[in-house]
Structure formats: structure tokens, C-alpha cells
Amino acid sequence: MTEATLPIAIPDVIRTEHLVKRFGAVTALRDVSMHLVKGEVLGLVGDNGAGKSTLIKILTGFMQPGGGEISVNGEEVKLRSVSYARSLGIETVYQDLALVNELSVYHNVFLNRELRYSPLPFLNNRKMREQARDHLMKMGVNIPSVDLEVAKLSGGQRQSIAIARAVYTDAKILLLDEPLAAMGAKEATLILELIHNLKAMGEVSIIMIAHNYAQVLEICDRVNLLQHGTITFDKPVAETSLDELNELVMREYRVGTTKTSMKS
Amino acid sequence: MAETILSNAPMPETELPPEPVRKGFWSRLGRIFLRQREASILVVAIVLVIYFQLSSSNFLTQFNILTLFEFISATAIIAAGEVMLLICGEIDISVGQVFALAPFIMYLVNQAGFSLWVGIVAALLVSSVVGLLNGIVTVWFKIPSLITTLGTQFLLNGITLTISMGEPVLTPSEGQINQIMGVNPYSEIVWAIAVMLVVQVILSFTRWGKHTVATGGNQLGASEAGVNINRVKMGNFMLTSVLAGLAGILEAFRITSISPLAGGTTIMFAAVAGAVIGGTALSGGIGTVVGAFLGVLALSILNDGFTLLGVSAYTYDIILGAAILIAMILNVRLRIWREAGRQ
């Protein structure tokens, strides 16, 4: 609450100005100006094809915008590659893409940053196991054992581990592309709880793409609605409601259908 | 909630996927054997030994055991490399031709006046270059490794026939080297076991091993995490080729002659079959070097036992074919069950 009353003190970790992205004749992003405040969870909603994924891909360094500016931590940057974006602390967690099923949980957490008994080339499994366990515990990720192969865990548990790993690798800005898609109620609760814990720790800022407005209202601080390549709605969740969000989308849908019916 | 103890703690209700109540003894035993493929293939090997010993008392004689070692060694060495490649999602079917080429390189370097050691090192270097070539073509030009190595296998065969002019030669002799490299009846099996142990340690206890599994298990995820999957693949192609070259050299010393027709597809298929029967998935991500060794062991026992009993070589092929099919079906089922266990 104090955040809202202090206008300047809380810096933006990400700010975009008039982002444009076209694919041939198709305009994916028309004019996107948005911002992410440090420590907040921003829900990004919108219909399929509204440009959510394009925006995420640009912020993650996977795609370059056709125009507009991006600032990270107050400095204007060109997110020219995924690894450069990552070096700035921006990390995207994709569902099911991130983890290696055949490796144990702790080997996944330490993938490509394995600890060794240097100067020997051998893995220090004991230390990795302990640190992975401590880290997951700290974040409130609950799994039976870090020794388990990831294949044996549920979708929600794997998603939690993927998010926890991103945080462990010093990600400061997490982009979650539909972290709750295709998940049962219990599984979704796991993820929501984890995001809640992250918020409480206040180290990371999160942009979360979601379809379920109830979940967005439950976990996010602020909602942005993306329609036809531009942000048409930006409110703290406290100032909006499920009805309002539904109404906005329904209105778009009605306009869309009348347009097409007039054409035909 | 956040402070719940991770291990050995009673699981909160939101966590635990409903465990199927009480499985039967047999299904549980089956599961253990499916998880521990090495254990099951070892049991198969032991059963085969007992069977052949009962059918022909000649099986467990020193002479026959040495014959068995000859069957196993070279194939097991090739299988050790092949497993690494299969785990990272690739395959090398040119190994049989590297096997034939390497001893000729050694021979020619030796003929040029260098010591046999230099010849061996040169042969292994050439082998590694072949592996690098396989890797580069596969990785950079994005050609399936089956096709890449199909090409290099013909290429290498042609090179071997050209430089040997199609004639076998006698393996050069230089005292102690010959003993170490295969003349001593136990040296080759010692090499095979040493290679197995070293490669298994690489697979289980080094970054390289974990990155190999990650590359085969989830290529996209591994590269997202920053694993250099191209380097992993090229490295394993090189390892496989070098081991195939080593196997060819050892055989050349044991047999004391170098034939341009040695190796070929027979030894390559035996190595891949051993790996697959030992639990390696052709789809990548799964497999062990010890399993491949035991797979080769079981096949060799079968082969040797049949020879001893006077069973036709045709029958051996029928059984080998059936064993590969069963092993593959088990691999696929295993994967499906594991994935089902997740939900």
C-alpha cells in the first residue's frame, strides 16, 4: 500500500515506450508502453493474438522490436540476445521446457553451474544436494526429495522448480508465460504460493501471462490488458474486479464479431 | 508453510499424487528390474552361463573364458563410446570403419620410421578427427547423425581400402607394446573394463556426463540453461571414434595382422545392440556404460555358447534380433510408465 502513495521512490525495473513489432503485413505490437515496478507482480492478460507472447519474446531478448525503447533499471538498453537479457537479470520460465526429466532435481537446479571438487573434475553432489534443498525450502517449494528424477514429479512441482532455479541463478525479473496453464487446482495452488513467497521476499519482479482472471486478481499487484497490440487497461488489482475484466474482454469480442459479420 | 521440512516430512495434502494402493509382488519386482536394467541384464547373463555350463561342461574352462573375452572386449569398448552418443541423442554407425582404419594409420606411421607409440597416437588422432567431422556435419549442417555417419562409413571404408591397397599386413612388433596392447590374453579385457569404468565415471560424476544427459533428454531446455549442446555432441562423436580406433588397434595386436575388411557393420551393430539391450534409449537421455557392457557380455555369452553347442549361427541371429526387439519394447514401455507416474 505504501508503494502506491510514494510516486517516485519505487523505481521501474522495466519500462517500454511505444514498442512496435510487425511481421510482414501483420502488426503484432502497435504501440506498447508499459512498466514493471520493482518487487511487483504484473498480470498480463489479453486474447490470443493480442501480442502477449511477442512482448515477452522481445523482453527476453529473443526478438528485436521494430521501434520504441526499452529501459531496464532506468537505463535504456537494446535487448539484442537472450543471453544479454539474462545478464541483465531477465529470465523467462517456460512451462515444461526448462527442466531435464532424466536428471535429478538438484542436478536440474545446478544445470550448467555444477559444483565440483576443484581442481578435480568430479561433481560435488553432496554440496549441490544440500544447497538445492536449502534453496527450495527457503522458497517454499515442497517436493519429496531433491534426489528424485524430475520425470517423477508433477507438472506443478516441475514448474516450481523451474521458477526456483531461475531465482537461484540471480534472475531479478521473471517472465512467466502462462505458468498456470494446464494445471489442476492443487497444482496451481503450488505455483501461486511460490509466487506469493517470492513477492514476500521482494527480490524479484514478475510479469505473468495468464488467462484465468480470478487467479490474476488473487496473486498480481496490477493488471495490464493487451488488445490488438496495445495496452488498453492498466489498474492495480485492488481497483478492479472480475466483472470489469470480463466486461472489457466481452466488449472487444462483441466489437470483433460485429466487424466480421459486417464484412461478410 | 514455507518452512516445511523438505525430506522425511509427512507430505502436506496438496502435494502427494495419489499413490496406487499396494502393488502386487510381481509387478513391484518387475518395476525394480525395469528401473535397474543393469541388474536384469546381469541376471540374464548369469542364467545363460548356468545354462551353457549345464549343457556343455566346456563352457567354464579357461580356454573358453579367454575366447569369451575376445568376443566381448573390442565390442564393449566401442559400446562405451556409442552409449555416450546415444544418450546425447545421436548415433555413429561409422565406428566399424574407424575400427578398420586406425590400425592401418598406426602401421603406416610405423613404416615411415616412427615408433609404434607414435603410430598409436597418430591413429587415435586421426580417429578423433573422424569424430570431429561426424560432429561438425551433424551439428552445423543439421544432418541426422544416422545419415552423416552412413556417409562417413563408406568414405572411411574407401580410404582404408585405398591406403592398404586392399591387402592385409602383419602388425608391427615392438616388444612390450604388443603385450600391453593385446598379445597378452588378458590385456584386451582389462582395457575394456578400464574403458567402461572411466566412461561410466565421466557419465555419472562429471559435468560432461550431466550435460550429455541433459542434451539428449531436453535439447531445448539444456541449451536454454546455457549448455553448449553442439560442443557436447561433437565431443561425444570424438570420444566414440577414438574408442573405436582404440578397439581396432587392440584387435590388430591380438590377431597380429591388420585387415582392411576388419570391423565393418557387424561390430558396429553388435555394439549398438549391446547398448540397447543394456538399457540405453535410442531417443536419448537414458543409458549407462555398465549396462552396455553387460549387454555386450550377454550377447557374447549367447554367441559363444551357441558356438560351443554347435547351434547354427543363423539361430543366434534369430535370438539376437528378438532380444533387440524385446529390449526396445521394454525401453518404450519404461518411458511411458515413467511419464504416467508423473501425473
Side-chain angles (χ1 to χ4, degrees), chain B residues 234-249:
Chain B
M234 285 200 248
N236 283 321
F237 270 111
M238 290 171 75
L239 175 72
T240 306
S241 267
V242 167
L243 289 179
L246 174 68
I249 291 168

Side-chain angles (χ1 to χ4, degrees), chain B residues 3-303:
Chain B
E3 301 304 315
T4 321
I5 292 162
L6 204 64
S7 54
N8 304 326
M11 300 294 302
E13 288 168 337
T14 48
E15 288 298 310
L16 205 62
E19 190 77 19
V21 203
R22 215 169 260 282
K23 284 171 220 134
F25 170 78
W26 288 110
S27 81
R28 217 184 307 164
L29 192 73
R31 271 178 169 264
I32 288 171
F33 273 80
L34 279 172
R35 292 249 170 81
Q36 299 298 325
R37 283 291 291 279
E38 295 86 359
S40 49
I41 196 73
L42 185 63
V43 169
V44 169
I46 291 170
V47 168
L48 285 174
V49 168
I50 293 170
Y51 171 74
F52 286 124
Q53 177 62 19
L54 291 178
S55 333
S56 149
S57 54
N58 289 330
F59 192 81
L60 286 176
T61 57
Q62 193 196 7
F63 180 77
N64 188 54
I65 286 174
L66 287 178
T67 311
L68 197 57
F69 287 168
E70 289 172 10
F71 272 122
I72 299 167
S73 304
T75 312
I77 290 172
I78 295 176
E82 200 72 69
V83 162
M84 293 293 280
L85 256 189
L86 289 171
I87 292 174
C88 79
E90 303 292 342
I91 192 170
D92 184 349
I93 62 169
S94 72
V95 282
Q97 301 304 338
V98 179
F99 178 94
L101 175 65
F104 271 107
I105 302 289
M106 173 187 80
Y107 173 79
L108 291 176
V109 170
N110 183 246
Q111 288 300 102
F114 295 96
S115 109
L116 257 186
W117 284 125
V118 177
I120 291 169
V121 170
L124 294 180
L125 277 177
V126 169
S127 305
S128 74
V129 170
V130 172
L132 185 63
L133 180 75
N134 283 333
I136 285 174
V137 173
T138 302
V139 166
W140 288 358
F141 297 98
K142 303 205 186 318
I143 303 205
S145 50
L146 187 75
I147 305 301
T148 308
T149 54
L150 181 69
T152 44
Q153 100 131 357
F154 282 110
L155 189 79
L156 295 175
N157 191 22
I159 291 174
T160 307
L161 288 169
T162 306
I163 64 174
S164 68
M165 288 173 285
E167 297 290 331
V169 293
L170 286 177
T171 309
S173 199
E174 216 176 282
Q176 207 52 36
I177 298 180
N178 298 57
Q179 287 295 322
I180 297 170
M181 298 301 288
V183 171
N184 182 302
Y186 293 98
S187 79
E188 223 185 345
I189 190 75
V190 170
W191 275 101
I193 291 171
V195 165
M196 170 192 76
L197 291 176
V198 168
V199 180
Q200 181 67 60
V201 165
I202 291 174
L203 178 60
S204 301
F205 300 110
T206 69
R207 289 184 76 169
W208 185 266
K210 294 299 162 200
H211 289 186
T212 299
V213 175
T215 301
N218 182 353
Q219 189 159 323
L220 200 58
S223 59
E224 274 293 305
V227 173
N228 190 339
I229 56 168
N230 290 351
R231 218 187 75 195
V232 168
K233 287 184 175 182
M234 285 200 248
N236 283 321
F237 270 111
M238 290 171 75
L239 175 72
T240 306
S241 267
V242 167
L243 289 179
L246 174 68
I249 291 168
L250 292 171
E251 284 285 276
F253 277 110
R254 180 175 69 79
I255 302 169
T256 69
S257 77
I258 304 172
S259 163
L261 301 176
T265 49
T266 315
I267 197 161
M268 177 275 294
F269 279 125
V272 173
V276 167
I277 287 170
T280 304
L282 289 175
S283 48
I286 298 170
T288 64
V289 188
V290 174
F293 187 92
L294 293 172
V296 171
L297 176 75
L299 287 180
S300 303
I301 290 171
L302 205 59
N303 198 346

Side-chain angles (χ1 to χ4, degrees), chain A residues 86 97 99 101-102 107 112 114 116 122-123 133 137 141-144 149 151 153-154 157-158 190 193, chain B residues 1-2 4 6-7 15 201 205-207 210-211 213-214 217-218 221 224-227 285-286 335 338 342:
Chain A
R86 189 173 287 156
L97 282 183
L99 303 179
N101 282 333
E102 289 79 6
H107 281 130
N112 204 33
E114 292 88 351
R116 284 174 291 185
F122 304 115
L123 298 174
R133 191 186 289 148
M137 211 196 294
V141 176
N142 240 305
I143 45 165
E149 271 178 33
L153 299 176
S154 68
Q157 289 170 325
R158 281 184 291 163
L190 279 183
E193 221 164 69
Chain B
M1 191 68 214
T4 321
L6 204 64
S7 54
E15 288 298 310
V201 165
F205 300 110
T206 69
R207 289 184 76 169
K210 294 299 162 200
H211 289 186
V213 175
N218 182 353
E224 274 293 305
V227 173
I286 298 170
R335 209 158 232 217
R338 284 154 66 113
R342 216 194 268 160

Side-chain angles (χ1 to χ4, degrees), chain A residues 145-164:
Chain A
S145 158
V146 291
D147 292 332
L148 280 179
E149 271 178 33
V150 167
K152 301 208 173 76
L153 299 176
S154 68
Q157 289 170 325
R158 281 184 291 163
Q159 179 82 313
S160 309
I161 293 164
I163 294 173

